[in-house]
Amino acid sequence: MSDSNTTLADLRDLVRRFVEERDWRQFHSPKNLSMSLAIEAAELMEHFQWIDIAESRSLRSQPQKLAAVRDELADVLCYALALANELEVDLATAVRDKMVKNAAKYPADLSRGRFDPPQAQP
Amino acid sequence: MSDSNTTLADLRDLVRRFVEERDWRQFHSPKNLSMSLAIEAAELMEHFQWIDIAESRSLRSQPQKLAAVRDELADVLCYALALANELEVDLATAVRDKMVKNAAKYPADLSRGRFDPPQAQP
Amino acid sequence: MSDSNTTLADLRDLVRRFVEERDWRQFHSPKNLSMSLAIEAAELMEHFQWIDIAESRSLRSQPQKLAAVRDELADVLCYALALANELEVDLATAVRDKMVKNAAKYPADLSRGRFDPPQAQP
Amino acid sequence: MSDSNTTLADLRDLVRRFVEERDWRQFHSPKNLSMSLAIEAAELMEHFQWIDIAESRSLRSQPQKLAAVRDELADVLCYALALANELEVDLATAVRDKMVKNAAKYPADLSRGRFDPPQAQP
């Protein structure tokens, strides 16, 4: 079972069951979940707070640190899935639609190696 | 194409291609991506900043507001996928492993309707 | 010694000395400090994650919970002061200038009881 | 009027009047303000998202970019002051108390040039 054979729906079901078994939907308002998502994103960021960019790239080959970051990334994902469950949003479609918008905002040929949208470039 | 038949790997590939076509891996250090994730989570939160919990639940049936939130949720997910790509983390396994830990921390029978871990309860 | 007789410069000096005594300016790049600020803001938010709006108002009269929130608020402030130190920004002027902009964006008579800018109102 | 002759109470009054003139205390629950603080911290962070640590240090001498960051830092401070107003917390005391705790956690002689608490050090 890996990213290659796990669907978004599989993970959504996993989160949904966990929440329902604990009667936690009462806490899972979209407002609260948006806070949870930001809180977990900050916990993930904490691991990168004081290190420089090169060190952050090397974290991939430090098993202990990577395991901690992986756990925080899982937390972020769990809350994103929980929010999608509450709002009844299809994530695969949402991501594909957003990538189409992103591709229009950042045309590949004009955006190579530049992070600003081309219209903002001199 | 929906959450039922889209794998995590499908979306990761979509993000990977987008990043590579723009030569953006130079910007996608884990440190930077952790900031991006937190920034997008905050943009999502902005939609819930001044409304109360009940109103946030009703957002699901307000198409215009829901579309805006859906876009922000997609942004969060895109950066989570980009970070997984950089760190070479399998998200499906990471989420499953974390849910096992969560289930140990919050046993279903002791956690029904309570958001504090049982050991923290009087 | 209270807010009535403590200047912004007093607190900035306190933070500056603390940082210099530990030779921490090497870590205190504006990029890192902006992450620290967001991380501490998230830790503060954690105390309000699962409670509703009315409960959050009543926290003022719960000494133990208030003490925890007060500590997190102090952390946020410390990093804001540290960032002002690094960027050599005068905070009193920055706040006053921003309040003038805010007053133009939200004229008092058009903004009573509404959180959207008037130009965004129907 | 600068940080040298502006007290915390001066800025708190400025924010309090602004909020009261617009009848905005109804929106200023601690829960909502904790979200606002995190949102503004993320907007500040946005300016540092894609640049490296050295570039972030040089921002101090780029007037246009510095002005934008200064505005975001003012926003963070305004919400910190608004939250202190709602919770009736004295910020000067809160910061001093927290700095005493920090000094105990990070003794100057053991923490020179190290960002981890000494007890966590090998």
Side-chain angles (χ1 to χ4, degrees):
Chain A
M1 296 296 277
S2 73
D3 285 350
S4 306
N5 54 16
T6 300
T7 65
L8 276 293
D10 292 334
L11 293 188
R12 289 178 70 151
D13 286 345
L14 191 66
V15 171
R16 183 182 293 111
R17 277 199 308 276
F18 189 91
V19 170
E20 284 178 358
E21 281 166 12
R22 284 155 188 80
D23 193 18
W24 277 0
R25 283 199 60 198
Q26 60 187 301
F27 303 123
H28 275 208
S29 68
K31 183 176 173 104
N32 288 0
L33 290 176
S34 75
M35 297 173 79
S36 306
L37 200 47
I39 291 166
E40 297 301 337
E43 291 186 6
L44 193 155
M45 198 162 54
E46 219 175 325
H47 296 274
F48 299 105
Q49 181 178 11
W50 301 121
I51 63 177
D52 68 25
I53 285 170
E55 287 174 280
S56 86
R57 290 193 197 270
S58 74
L59 192 137
R60 187 168 47 182
S61 47
Q62 296 168 275
Q64 205 173 349
K65 290 187 180 173
L66 183 59
V69 166
R70 186 176 165 273
D71 262 13
E72 302 293 358
L73 186 52
D75 281 336
V76 169
L77 209 61
C78 286
Y79 279 120
L81 297 163
L83 187 52
N85 284 344
E86 288 303 323
L87 294 175
E88 296 175 358
V89 159
D90 189 82
L91 288 169
T93 318
V95 166
R96 287 196 181 93
D97 289 352
K98 194 65 206 301
M99 291 305 268
V100 170
K101 287 190 195 181
N102 286 344
K105 186 174 176 188
Y106 300 96
D109 53 339
L110 297 174
S111 302
R112 286 192 69 77
R114 320 192 58 151
F115 55 79
D116 287 323
Q119 60 273 31
Q121 292 169 8
Chain B
M1 296 295 275
S2 73
D3 285 351
S4 306
N5 55 17
T6 300
T7 65
L8 276 293
D10 292 333
L11 292 189
R12 290 178 68 151
D13 286 345
L14 190 66
V15 171
R16 184 183 291 110
R17 276 199 308 275
F18 189 92
V19 170
E20 285 179 358
E21 280 166 11
R22 283 157 190 79
D23 193 19
W24 277 0
R25 284 198 60 198
Q26 61 186 299
F27 304 123
H28 277 207
S29 67
K31 182 175 175 104
N32 288 358
L33 290 175
S34 76
M35 297 173 80
S36 305
L37 200 48
I39 290 166
E40 297 301 336
E43 290 186 6
L44 193 155
M45 199 163 52
E46 217 175 326
H47 295 274
F48 299 105
Q49 181 178 12
W50 301 120
I51 63 176
D52 67 25
I53 285 169
E55 286 173 280
S56 87
R57 289 194 198 271
S58 75
L59 192 135
R60 186 167 50 183
S61 48
Q62 296 168 275
Q64 205 173 349
K65 291 188 180 172
L66 182 59
V69 167
R70 188 176 163 272
D71 262 13
E72 303 294 358
L73 186 51
D75 282 336
V76 169
L77 209 61
C78 286
Y79 280 119
L81 297 162
L83 187 51
N85 284 343
E86 289 303 323
L87 295 175
E88 295 176 0
V89 160
D90 188 82
L91 289 170
T93 317
V95 166
R96 286 195 182 93
D97 288 353
K98 193 65 206 304
M99 291 304 270
V100 170
K101 288 191 194 179
N102 287 344
K105 185 173 177 190
Y106 301 97
D109 53 337
L110 296 173
S111 301
R112 286 193 68 77
R114 318 193 61 154
F115 54 79
D116 287 324
Q119 61 274 29
Q121 292 168 9
Chain C
M1 295 298 277
S2 73
D3 285 350
S4 306
N5 55 17
T6 300
T7 66
L8 276 292
D10 291 335
L11 293 188
R12 290 178 68 152
D13 286 346
L14 191 66
V15 171
R16 184 181 293 110
R17 277 198 308 276
F18 189 92
V19 171
E20 285 179 358
E21 282 166 12
R22 284 156 189 79
D23 193 19
W24 277 359
R25 283 199 60 198
Q26 60 187 300
F27 304 124
H28 276 207
S29 67
K31 182 176 174 105
N32 288 359
L33 290 176
S34 76
M35 296 173 80
S36 306
L37 200 47
I39 290 166
E40 296 301 336
E43 291 186 5
L44 193 154
M45 200 161 53
E46 218 175 326
H47 296 273
F48 299 105
Q49 182 177 11
W50 301 120
I51 63 177
D52 67 25
I53 286 170
E55 287 173 281
S56 87
R57 290 194 198 273
S58 75
L59 192 136
R60 185 167 51 183
S61 46
Q62 296 168 274
Q64 205 173 349
K65 291 187 180 172
L66 183 59
V69 167
R70 187 176 164 271
D71 262 13
E72 302 293 359
L73 185 52
D75 282 336
V76 169
L77 210 61
C78 286
Y79 280 120
L81 296 162
L83 186 51
N85 285 344
E86 288 304 323
L87 294 175
E88 296 176 1
V89 159
D90 188 81
L91 288 170
T93 317
V95 166
R96 285 194 182 95
D97 288 354
K98 194 63 205 302
M99 291 304 269
V100 170
K101 286 190 195 181
N102 286 344
K105 186 174 177 189
Y106 300 96
D109 52 338
L110 296 174
S111 301
R112 287 193 68 79
R114 318 192 59 153
F115 54 79
D116 287 323
Q119 61 275 27
Q121 292 168 9
Chain D
M1 297 294 278
S2 73
D3 285 351
S4 306
N5 55 17
T6 300
T7 65
L8 276 293
D10 292 334
L11 292 188
R12 289 178 68 152
D13 286 346
L14 191 66
V15 171
R16 184 184 291 110
R17 275 199 309 276
F18 189 92
V19 170
E20 284 179 357
E21 281 167 11
R22 284 156 188 79
D23 193 19
W24 277 359
R25 285 199 57 198
Q26 60 186 300
F27 304 122
H28 277 207
S29 66
K31 182 175 175 106
N32 288 359
L33 290 176
S34 75
M35 296 173 81
S36 305
L37 201 46
I39 291 166
E40 297 300 337
E43 292 187 3
L44 193 155
M45 199 163 53
E46 218 176 325
H47 296 274
F48 300 104
Q49 181 177 12
W50 301 121
I51 63 177
D52 68 25
I53 285 170
E55 286 174 280
S56 86
R57 290 193 198 270
S58 76
L59 191 136
R60 187 168 48 182
S61 48
Q62 297 168 275
Q64 206 173 348
K65 290 187 180 173
L66 182 60
V69 166
R70 187 176 165 271
D71 262 14
E72 303 294 358
L73 185 53
D75 282 337
V76 168
L77 209 62
C78 286
Y79 280 120
L81 297 162
L83 186 52
N85 284 343
E86 289 303 323
L87 294 175
E88 295 176 359
V89 159
D90 188 82
L91 289 169
T93 317
V95 166
R96 286 196 182 92
D97 289 354
K98 193 65 206 302
M99 292 304 270
V100 170
K101 287 190 194 178
N102 287 344
K105 186 175 177 189
Y106 301 96
D109 53 337
L110 296 174
S111 302
R112 286 193 68 77
R114 320 193 57 153
F115 55 78
D116 286 325
Q119 61 273 31
Q121 293 168 7

